[in-house]
Amino acid sequence: MIKKVLIANRGEIAVRIIRACREMGIETVAVYSEADREALHAKLADEAVCIGPAPSSESYLSMDRIISATIVTGADAIHPGFGFLSENSRFAELCEQCNITFIGPDSKVIAKLGNKQEARNTMAAAGVPVIPGSTEPIYDAGAGALAAEKTGYPVIVKAALGGGGKGMRTADTPEEFEQSFLTAQKETQMAFGDNTMYIEHFVQRPRHIEFQILADRYGNVVHLGERDCSIQRNHQKMIEESPSIALSEELRQRMGEAAVRAAKAAGYQNAGTIEFLLEKNGNFYFMEMNTRIQVEHPVTEWVTGIDLIKEQIRIAAGRKLSFTQSDIHLNGHAIECRINAENPAKGFRPSPGTVTDLYLPGGKGIRIDSAIYSGCTIPPYYDSMVAKLIVWAKNRGEAVRKMKSALGEIIIEGIDTNVDYQFEILNHPAYLSGDIDIEFIRDHEKELGDIL
Ligand code: MV4
């Protein structure tokens, strides 16, 4: 059994994990950087250890310091949250070597799925639809051009170790290819210290649909339905919802089965997410698998009634899943808005600083996951997301109205936020009608910016 968990993260997700542990009777250890001395996660945990200076590289990304803090405090498991070391296979391996339970999949599975080209091949072999494209790693523009020709233009060049948009370029024609490839590869080398690329056909105006899965140690795999994450800006998601209004029950079942097949093919354990691109005509393709808990997990929790963090801990402790696929039903509609400390009028530039006044909404069907409090200081060193507002209602229309009402109540003084911008998105007729794809923000930039 797991008795004490060290949370290798900060902000709202650290708080979320501390709460789950406390409810399960598990002790908690927070780690914090010098910039986070007064941070909520450090105050709420049973113990807190300072692991170094403000920059992530010297604190939240320092494997040695985090492992040391785990040993010193006698914690028997680490929850990595998202970002930071959560998808670092070497960190998971280090935990394994130190006899610390890493709350997530096996280090080898993380490494296998972290290589997107390898993941594509694994999925294709398992009968999961993948986007047409290269089957071998590509290291030079010449080999790339041949693969692109075979794939069919337009194409997208991606970093094998990438994800989240870095090291990615499109090419509409063979003439554009070399330039796009070299730019993508240079960025890839800078970001990941590796220059392995792969090529896919560029899918036009898809939705981003992802399936949550849970897998235990005994080969039981279930999916918990989908999240529609199409509303994003520069690869940063802004609004997520479950279920997606783009899926019929029949399509949900087919995509869910594909997601379960994907997890089984990877030998996956714990919570994971299979990302798909969904075309307007209903064709869907595996894009990548995320081996961590995700920011948007609360919308799935609300429509399924399953606490994903608790399930992660139970699975890591060796427990069997206590439900099967037929026990899982999607009830009602949940929407999440990410609240960021940023200024939409100034190109969404980060807005760190001290929160001088704070009021957060509540009431039936409203959940806030945050680590801010009145008087807290948001340091400039980390991600700008400071809170998540999640609402639930019987149907999408009511959920949208509830979200708009709740956004309207928020008071955050002292820093700039995207709260008003989020309101404008929810107020847009195209959003309301469900006419959304990954280009939504770009398509409607002008109207959405009118309030600024
Ligand atoms: C794509 C694509 C279209 N076709 N791949 C963006 C982040 C990274 N995970 C992969 N991404 C994309 N890959 C093919 N073959 C379009 C995107 C994409 C995107 C995907 C999901 C959500 C938002 C997006 C915004 C721009 C591009």
Side-chain angles (χ1 to χ4, degrees):
M1 203 36 215
I2 293 172
K3 293 212 287 287
K4 197 191 255 195
V5 171
L6 181 138
I7 298 105
N9 216 299
R10 64 181 303 283
E12 64 84 21
I13 192 62
V15 171
R16 167 75 185 88
I17 297 162
I18 291 166
R19 287 174 178 155
C21 289
R22 187 154 289 145
E23 290 171 27
M24 294 172 83
I26 296 170
E27 289 179 81
T28 54
V29 181
V31 293
Y32 62 94
S33 72
E34 285 167 12
D36 275 342
R37 285 194 185 286
E38 300 300 323
L40 190 62
H41 74 285
K43 293 180 193 291
L44 288 186
D46 297 320
E47 295 169 68
V49 182
C50 183
I51 51 166
S56 304
S57 57
E58 297 175 65
S59 49
Y60 299 106
L61 286 173
S62 169
M63 301 192 213
D64 297 356
R65 287 163 189 239
I66 289 168
I67 295 286
S68 298
T70 310
I71 293 168
V72 164
T73 56
D76 37 33
I78 293 179
H79 197 305
F82 46 66
F84 296 121
L85 295 170
S86 61
E87 296 189 280
N88 186 313
S89 61
R90 283 181 298 123
F91 180 62
E93 190 182 2
L94 198 54
C95 290
E96 289 160 11
Q97 286 164 351
C98 296
N99 245 330
I100 298 163
T101 301
F102 178 82
I103 301 175
D106 191 86
S107 63
K108 291 196 177 66
V109 174
I110 298 175
K112 191 183 176 71
L113 293 169
N115 185 325
K116 313 297 174 188
Q117 172 70 68
E118 202 179 328
R120 270 170 62 77
N121 291 346
T122 303
M123 298 311 162
V128 178
V130 301
I131 304 166
S134 56
T135 52
E136 299 297 328
I138 291 169
Y139 303 99
D140 64 83
L146 283 174
E149 207 61 56
K150 239 178 110 186
T151 299
Y153 282 92
V155 297
I156 183 164
V157 181
K158 295 182 177 182
L161 301 186
K166 254 208 199 108
M168 239 174 60
R169 281 291 180 290
T170 59
D172 289 333
T173 60
E175 290 68 44
E176 272 177 40
F177 183 82
E178 183 166 323
Q179 175 77 56
S180 295
F181 182 90
L182 293 174
T183 309
Q185 194 176 39
K186 191 182 276 174
E187 204 176 299
T188 298
Q189 181 65 46
M190 296 285 266
F192 308 105
D194 175 273
N195 68 356
T196 316
M197 313 303 291
Y198 67 107
I199 284 159
E200 287 176 346
H201 178 70
F202 182 61
V203 181
Q204 310 282 322
R205 291 190 159 269
R207 284 186 184 239
H208 173 124
I209 304 288
E210 57 183 36
F211 272 73
Q212 178 71 53
I213 64 98
L214 284 173
D216 68 16
R217 218 179 256 186
Y218 312 98
N220 302 301
V221 184
V222 297
H223 75 81
L224 281 72
E226 78 282 6
R227 297 183 285 259
D228 192 323
C229 308
S230 300
I231 305 289
Q232 58 81 42
R233 198 193 140 266
N234 287 348
H235 305 301
Q236 290 294 109
K237 293 170 187 166
M238 296 187 73
I239 299 177
E240 304 98 348
E241 52 184 302
S242 184
S244 167
I245 54 164
L247 270 62
S248 64
E249 196 46 55
E250 185 266 336
L251 181 55
R252 176 170 299 112
Q253 199 163 334
R254 280 196 291 126
M255 292 181 79
E257 279 166 13
V260 168
R261 245 191 341 270
K264 285 183 173 166
Y268 201 84
Q269 273 176 41
N270 215 282
T273 299
I274 292 93
E275 293 186 354
F276 293 107
L277 291 181
L278 174 65
E279 287 184 309
K280 290 220 186 339
N281 64 12
N283 287 346
F284 65 89
Y285 307 96
F286 169 88
M287 190 160 56
E288 46 193 84
M289 181 163 184
N290 300 323
T291 59
R292 59 172 191 276
I293 191 72
Q294 293 198 203
V295 172
E296 56 272 27
H297 76 275
V299 294
T300 297
E301 294 190 317
W302 220 333
V303 296
T304 61
I306 291 168
D307 185 315
L308 286 166
I309 305 287
K310 288 183 183 172
E311 290 303 329
Q312 284 193 292
I313 296 169
R314 288 191 191 109
I315 289 166
R319 302 259 294 268
K320 255 182 73 180
L321 284 180
S322 63
F323 41 79
T324 64
Q325 192 65 57
S326 59
D327 297 321
I328 296 165
H329 304 282
L330 304 188
N331 178 31
H333 200 98
I335 304 177
E336 170 178 282
C337 282
R338 299 188 185 192
I339 311 300
N340 298 336
E342 65 189 12
N343 187 333
K346 294 181 177 157
F348 293 84
R349 153 178 113 189
S351 175
T354 299
V355 175
T356 53
D357 193 20
L358 179 69
Y359 174 78
L360 296 173
K364 186 178 185 304
I366 294 185
R367 165 176 171 180
I368 301 237
D369 279 21
S370 92
I372 51 173
Y373 56 87
S374 191
C376 79
T377 297
I378 293 147
Y381 305 97
Y382 316 109
D383 194 272
S384 66
M385 191 181 74
V386 296
K388 304 185 305 206
L389 170 59
I390 308 106
V391 304
W392 181 93
K394 288 197 302 293
N395 57 55
R396 188 172 187 267
E398 284 183 37
V400 172
R401 290 165 70 94
K402 193 184 281 281
M403 181 63 87
K404 286 164 66 177
S405 169
L407 284 168
E409 283 186 32
I410 293 181
I411 298 170
I412 305 177
E413 299 291 349
I415 57 166
D416 297 317
T417 74
N418 63 346
V419 168
D420 294 345
Y421 198 88
Q422 291 282 25
F423 186 96
E424 290 308 313
I425 297 173
L426 287 151
N427 206 30
H428 198 285
Y431 178 80
L432 219 59
S433 70
D435 181 15
I436 50 179
D437 61 43
I438 63 172
E439 307 287 354
F440 180 89
I441 301 284
R442 204 177 331 182
D443 284 351
H444 302 292
E445 214 153 31
K446 225 174 150 301
E447 306 101 272
L448 294 170
D450 273 353
I451 52 144
L452 306 176

